[in-house]
Amino acid sequence: MGKNSNKQQRRKAQKEVKRRQKRKLAVAPKTRSLVSQIHIASKWPLMECHVSSEWQENLLGNVIVSRRGPDAQIAVASFLLDFGCLGVKDVWVHPDVALSLYKEKGAMNSPNIGDRTEIPLDDALKLIDAAR
């Protein structure tokens, strides 16, 4: 009797694991809201963080933050900051950019951003907060 109950418990546990895996797959990342995707991407490790080189002279600059996901996708956030008077003028967020697309045409290759310098994330957050 003891061996059968152990087998039954193991089978039940295995079925429960399979059910949980199916539930996770049922909620695909594409069906999640943008806010939910951004929240998940905020926990990924930092890949790059850049600021426009001439933001101090122009009082206008871009801060770009990118994070790398577990499946080789990239989350990119770009902030257009006006330090003169308007604060944050525009924000562009894309939580799921393919790594190949990011390397080929990514936000870092955009011609209208100009020269960029890499900065630590803490400095980027300070710039965004100062522009508000």
Side-chain angles (χ1 to χ4, degrees):
M1 181 101 181
K3 288 184 181 181
N4 283 340
S5 65
N6 286 342
K7 283 184 181 180
Q8 287 176 346
Q9 288 176 350
R10 271 190 262 132
R11 285 182 186 156
K12 285 183 181 179
Q14 289 173 347
K15 285 183 180 181
E16 183 60 30
V17 168
K18 286 183 181 179
R19 279 189 209 121
R20 287 182 186 163
Q21 289 174 344
K22 285 182 182 179
R23 278 188 222 135
K24 283 183 183 178
L25 292 176
V27 181
K30 299 292 182 195
T31 62
R32 293 184 178 138
S33 69
L34 180 62
V35 173
S36 175
Q37 290 179 24
I38 292 169
H39 180 72
I40 291 168
S42 70
K43 293 174 179 25
W44 296 346
L46 185 67
M47 185 174 161
E48 297 176 330
C49 188
H50 290 84
V51 67
S52 303
S53 296
E54 295 140 5
W55 70 270
Q56 291 172 324
E57 295 86 24
N58 299 338
L59 295 178
L60 188 70
N62 259 19
V63 173
I64 300 170
V65 179
S66 57
R67 294 179 175 270
R68 187 173 191 151
D71 297 328
Q73 73 270 33
I74 308 296
V76 181
S78 176
F79 303 86
L80 179 59
L81 308 175
D82 184 351
F83 296 97
C85 62
L86 295 177
V88 179
K89 292 180 78 172
D90 195 16
V91 177
W92 177 85
V93 178
H94 198 295
D96 190 13
V97 177
L99 180 60
S100 59
L101 182 65
Y102 181 79
K103 286 182 178 178
E104 180 186 327
K105 296 183 179 181
M108 303 318 299
N109 297 330
S110 180
N112 51 343
I113 293 176
D115 292 333
R116 296 162 298 279
T117 57
E118 192 163 350
I119 60 171
L121 180 61
D122 290 339
D123 291 348
L125 295 175
K126 286 177 188 173
L127 287 174
I128 294 167
D129 191 45
R132 290 190 303 142

